[in-house]
Amino acid sequence: MSERLAAAAQRLFGIPLSAEQQAQFAQYAAELEAWNKSRANLTAITAVEAVEVRHFLDSLSVLSVVNPSQGASVIDVGTGAGFPGVPLRLVRPDLHLTLLEATGKKIAFLQHLATLLGIEGVQFLHARAEEAGQMPDQREHYDVVVARAVAHMPILAEYLLPLVRVGGQCVAMKGESAEREVREAANALRILGGRVAGISAVNLPNVAEPHYLIVIDKIAPTPRLYPRKPGTPAKKPL
Ligand code: SAM
């Protein structure tokens, strides 16, 4: 498995994987499968090839649109079983990664996984994005904020932008609705201090449906009112 992944990561994104990193990805795939069997519901995808493409390579695609500086702080909002945050941290051990997730069961998996893979210095934040965005040590703290499959863009903007420092970037990983979602988020982005920097298509091997990376620059501070209390962004999107 790992050699195929390494070849694809190099070919698609110019990311070389060391033997140690290949072994970490292989362990990650095995652990996902084991947890799925015993606890169910962590992620729908488990066949090794599908995990490599739809979880690992898809996560690494983020590095084709942002290049965090050495030691940059990165938060993955609604990380679930660790995507895209953990693969990014595996190939960029210098990053200061925070994994934010509302479900305790998933946080427990991530802590177990980090120990297993020998990843140190990751912050696990068991909270909702709406809470994190108002925490003094989290608010406008991050250089890069990433999220995949968490919420529709107008809602997601309210989860992500409060966490980014002015001058930092958000990357939202989306499917075919990307362009439409960006249009629908115009009001939210304006209010929250974001500006769309670009939408890039990602082509993954043997994946028919389109994947897009929406990059949003944080150009102004987010007003204190945002994010609103948990549940409100989804109920009353900006
Ligand atoms: N990002 C992962 C991936 O792509 O595999 C997980 C995607 S899963 C569909 C969405 C995750 O976001 C769930 O684990 C859910 O608990 C989390 N989530 C949804 N809304 C959230 C919020 N407001 N704050 C924190 N986590 C949230």
Side-chain angles (χ1 to χ4, degrees):
M1 111 142 203
S2 32
E3 277 169 28
R4 186 178 51 209
L5 175 67
Q10 180 69 56
R11 178 168 46 84
L12 294 171
F13 310 121
I15 299 172
L17 296 184
S18 67
E20 188 195 348
Q21 288 166 329
Q22 292 177 37
Q24 287 173 312
F25 278 109
Q27 259 185 314
Y28 191 174
E31 212 45 32
L32 275 178
E33 191 171 6
W35 272 65
N36 266 312
K37 278 200 183 123
S38 60
R39 278 152 258 234
N41 227 359
L42 204 55
T43 150
I45 302 170
T46 49
V48 170
E49 240 181 292
V51 167
E52 279 181 14
V53 175
R54 292 177 178 271
H55 287 325
F56 298 161
L57 289 175
D58 195 36
S59 295
L60 296 181
S61 73
V62 168
L63 295 175
S64 65
V65 293
V66 286
N67 183 17
S69 57
Q70 186 75 15
S73 53
V74 176
I75 183 167
D76 181 5
V77 172
T79 186
F83 305 111
V86 174
L88 293 175
R89 175 62 176 66
L90 287 178
V91 302
R92 286 286 309 269
D94 60 292
L95 297 179
H96 288 105
L97 175 68
T98 298
L99 298 171
L100 169 64
E101 172 52 51
T103 305
K105 181 181 83 165
K106 294 180 181 176
I107 289 285
F109 170 78
L110 294 165
Q111 287 171 326
H112 161 79
L113 180 74
T115 305
L116 191 82
L117 300 183
I119 307 176
E120 283 171 10
V122 173
Q123 186 187 1
F124 303 93
L125 190 52
H126 180 198
R128 291 191 56 106
E130 301 93 311
E131 297 166 321
Q134 293 291 1
M135 293 174 186
D137 64 334
Q138 301 293 318
R139 186 177 176 84
E140 302 201 319
H141 171 75
Y142 292 93
D143 298 309
V144 178
V145 178
V146 293
R148 184 180 80 162
V150 173
H152 191 60
M153 201 61 222
I155 304 164
L156 191 64
E158 192 168 345
Y159 294 167
L160 304 189
L161 277 162
L163 293 163
V164 201
R165 67 171 172 81
V166 174
Q169 290 175 308
C170 304
V171 182
M173 306 174 71
K174 289 284 179 185
E176 61 184 353
S177 60
E179 300 246 355
R180 178 171 48 79
E181 291 197 39
V182 163
R183 281 197 302 277
E184 290 169 357
N187 188 49
L189 296 178
R190 188 180 46 75
I191 292 172
L192 299 166
R195 182 174 63 200
V196 176
I199 305 178
S200 305
V202 178
N203 292 309
L204 297 171
N206 303 319
V207 173
E209 74 277 8
H211 288 210
Y212 294 95
L213 298 170
I214 301 170
V215 180
I216 296 164
D217 290 337
K218 174 99 173 228
I219 57 167
T222 298
R224 283 248 51 114
L225 179 64
Y226 306 102
R228 292 165 292 168
K229 65 180 175 28
T232 303
K235 261 182 247 138
K236 295 182 185 171
L238 292 170

Short mmCIF file of all heavy atoms in Angstrom, two decimals, residues 98-122:
data_model
loop_
_atom_site.label_atom_id
_atom_site.label_comp_id
_atom_site.label_asym_id
_atom_site.label_seq_id
_atom_site.Cartn_x
_atom_site.Cartn_y
_atom_site.Cartn_z
N THR A 98 -3.78 21.76 15.61
CA THR A 98 -4.88 21.56 16.55
C THR A 98 -5.98 20.82 15.81
O THR A 98 -6.34 21.18 14.68
CB THR A 98 -5.42 22.91 17.06
OG1 THR A 98 -4.37 23.58 17.76
CG2 THR A 98 -6.61 22.71 18.00
N LEU A 99 -6.49 19.76 16.44
CA LEU A 99 -7.61 19.00 15.87
C LEU A 99 -8.85 19.35 16.67
O LEU A 99 -8.93 19.06 17.88
CB LEU A 99 -7.32 17.50 15.95
CG LEU A 99 -6.09 17.03 15.15
CD1 LEU A 99 -5.77 15.57 15.46
CD2 LEU A 99 -6.31 17.21 13.65
N LEU A 100 -9.79 19.99 16.02
CA LEU A 100 -11.02 20.43 16.69
C LEU A 100 -12.16 19.51 16.28
O LEU A 100 -12.41 19.30 15.09
CB LEU A 100 -11.35 21.87 16.28
CG LEU A 100 -12.72 22.43 16.67
CD1 LEU A 100 -12.87 22.52 18.18
CD2 LEU A 100 -12.91 23.81 16.05
N GLU A 101 -12.85 18.97 17.27
CA GLU A 101 -13.93 18.03 16.96
C GLU A 101 -14.96 18.06 18.10
O GLU A 101 -14.59 18.04 19.27
CB GLU A 101 -13.31 16.62 16.77
CG GLU A 101 -14.27 15.48 16.62
CD GLU A 101 -15.34 15.68 15.55
OE1 GLU A 101 -15.02 16.01 14.40
OE2 GLU A 101 -16.53 15.52 15.89
N ALA A 102 -16.23 18.08 17.69
CA ALA A 102 -17.31 18.18 18.68
C ALA A 102 -17.65 16.86 19.34
O ALA A 102 -18.24 16.83 20.42
CB ALA A 102 -18.55 18.76 17.99
N THR A 103 -17.29 15.74 18.71
CA THR A 103 -17.68 14.42 19.23
C THR A 103 -16.55 13.80 20.04
O THR A 103 -15.45 13.57 19.52
CB THR A 103 -18.04 13.49 18.05
OG1 THR A 103 -19.03 14.14 17.27
CG2 THR A 103 -18.58 12.15 18.52
N GLY A 104 -16.84 13.49 21.29
CA GLY A 104 -15.83 12.95 22.20
C GLY A 104 -15.23 11.64 21.74
O GLY A 104 -14.03 11.40 21.87
N LYS A 105 -16.06 10.80 21.17
CA LYS A 105 -15.59 9.49 20.69
C LYS A 105 -14.49 9.65 19.63
O LYS A 105 -13.52 8.88 19.59
CB LYS A 105 -16.82 8.77 20.07
CG LYS A 105 -16.58 7.39 19.54
CD LYS A 105 -17.85 6.80 18.95
CE LYS A 105 -18.07 7.30 17.53
NZ LYS A 105 -19.07 6.52 16.77
N LYS A 106 -14.65 10.66 18.80
CA LYS A 106 -13.65 10.90 17.74
C LYS A 106 -12.37 11.49 18.33
O LYS A 106 -11.27 11.15 17.90
CB LYS A 106 -14.25 11.79 16.65
CG LYS A 106 -15.39 11.06 15.93
CD LYS A 106 -16.04 11.87 14.85
CE LYS A 106 -17.16 11.03 14.23
NZ LYS A 106 -17.93 11.77 13.21
N ILE A 107 -12.52 12.35 19.32
CA ILE A 107 -11.33 12.88 20.01
C ILE A 107 -10.54 11.72 20.64
O ILE A 107 -9.31 11.66 20.55
CB ILE A 107 -11.72 13.93 21.07
CG1 ILE A 107 -12.21 15.22 20.42
CG2 ILE A 107 -10.58 14.19 22.06
CD1 ILE A 107 -11.12 16.10 19.80
N ALA A 108 -11.26 10.78 21.22
CA ALA A 108 -10.59 9.62 21.85
C ALA A 108 -9.82 8.83 20.79
O ALA A 108 -8.68 8.41 21.03
CB ALA A 108 -11.63 8.73 22.54
N PHE A 109 -10.43 8.63 19.64
CA PHE A 109 -9.74 7.94 18.55
C PHE A 109 -8.47 8.69 18.15
O PHE A 109 -7.39 8.10 17.98
CB PHE A 109 -10.65 7.78 17.32
CG PHE A 109 -9.91 7.29 16.11
CD1 PHE A 109 -9.58 5.95 15.97
CD2 PHE A 109 -9.53 8.16 15.10
CE1 PHE A 109 -8.86 5.49 14.86
CE2 PHE A 109 -8.82 7.72 13.99
CZ PHE A 109 -8.49 6.38 13.87
N LEU A 110 -8.59 10.00 18.02
CA LEU A 110 -7.45 10.81 17.55
C LEU A 110 -6.29 10.79 18.55
O LEU A 110 -5.13 10.73 18.15
CB LEU A 110 -7.92 12.26 17.32
CG LEU A 110 -8.92 12.42 16.18
CD1 LEU A 110 -9.60 13.79 16.25
CD2 LEU A 110 -8.25 12.24 14.82
N GLN A 111 -6.63 10.78 19.84
CA GLN A 111 -5.58 10.73 20.86
C GLN A 111 -4.86 9.39 20.81
O GLN A 111 -3.63 9.31 20.86
CB GLN A 111 -6.19 10.97 22.25
CG GLN A 111 -6.57 12.44 22.42
CD GLN A 111 -7.36 12.72 23.68
OE1 GLN A 111 -8.16 11.89 24.11
NE2 GLN A 111 -7.18 13.89 24.26
N HIS A 112 -5.65 8.34 20.65
CA HIS A 112 -5.10 7.00 20.53
C HIS A 112 -4.20 6.92 19.28
O HIS A 112 -3.09 6.39 19.32
CB HIS A 112 -6.28 6.03 20.45
CG HIS A 112 -5.96 4.70 19.89
ND1 HIS A 112 -5.35 3.71 20.63
CD2 HIS A 112 -6.17 4.17 18.66
CE1 HIS A 112 -5.20 2.64 19.88
NE2 HIS A 112 -5.68 2.88 18.69
N LEU A 113 -4.70 7.46 18.18
CA LEU A 113 -3.97 7.43 16.91
C LEU A 113 -2.63 8.17 17.02
O LEU A 113 -1.60 7.66 16.56
CB LEU A 113 -4.84 8.08 15.82
CG LEU A 113 -4.23 8.14 14.43
CD1 LEU A 113 -4.24 6.75 13.79
CD2 LEU A 113 -5.00 9.13 13.55
N ALA A 114 -2.67 9.34 17.62
CA ALA A 114 -1.44 10.15 17.73
C ALA A 114 -0.38 9.39 18.53
O ALA A 114 0.80 9.39 18.17
CB ALA A 114 -1.75 11.50 18.37
N THR A 115 -0.81 8.73 19.60
CA THR A 115 0.13 7.96 20.41
C THR A 115 0.73 6.83 19.57
O THR A 115 1.94 6.61 19.53
CB THR A 115 -0.59 7.35 21.64
OG1 THR A 115 -1.22 8.43 22.34
CG2 THR A 115 0.36 6.62 22.56
N LEU A 116 -0.16 6.15 18.85
CA LEU A 116 0.26 5.02 18.03
C LEU A 116 1.26 5.44 16.96
O LEU A 116 2.25 4.75 16.70
CB LEU A 116 -0.98 4.42 17.38
CG LEU A 116 -0.81 3.10 16.70
CD1 LEU A 116 -0.88 1.99 17.74
CD2 LEU A 116 -1.91 2.90 15.67
N LEU A 117 0.98 6.57 16.32
CA LEU A 117 1.83 7.02 15.21
C LEU A 117 3.07 7.77 15.72
O LEU A 117 3.93 8.14 14.92
CB LEU A 117 1.04 7.92 14.26
CG LEU A 117 -0.20 7.32 13.59
CD1 LEU A 117 -0.83 8.31 12.62
CD2 LEU A 117 0.14 6.02 12.86
N GLY A 118 3.12 8.01 17.01
CA GLY A 118 4.27 8.72 17.57
C GLY A 118 4.28 10.20 17.21
O GLY A 118 5.34 10.81 17.06
N ILE A 119 3.08 10.78 17.06
CA ILE A 119 3.00 12.21 16.76
C ILE A 119 2.91 12.97 18.07
O ILE A 119 2.03 12.70 18.88
CB ILE A 119 1.73 12.55 15.95
CG1 ILE A 119 1.60 11.69 14.72
CG2 ILE A 119 1.71 14.01 15.57
CD1 ILE A 119 0.31 11.93 13.97
N GLU A 120 3.81 13.93 18.26
CA GLU A 120 3.78 14.68 19.51
C GLU A 120 3.40 16.13 19.27
O GLU A 120 3.55 16.64 18.17
CB GLU A 120 5.16 14.61 20.18
CG GLU A 120 5.35 13.27 20.86
CD GLU A 120 6.76 13.05 21.35
OE1 GLU A 120 7.55 14.00 21.35
OE2 GLU A 120 7.03 11.90 21.74
N GLY A 121 2.88 16.75 20.31
CA GLY A 121 2.62 18.19 20.25
C GLY A 121 1.33 18.58 19.56
O GLY A 121 1.13 19.76 19.29
N VAL A 122 0.47 17.62 19.28
CA VAL A 122 -0.83 17.97 18.68
C VAL A 122 -1.78 18.38 19.80
O VAL A 122 -1.82 17.74 20.86
CB VAL A 122 -1.41 16.77 17.89
CG1 VAL A 122 -2.83 17.07 17.41
CG2 VAL A 122 -0.52 16.43 16.72
#
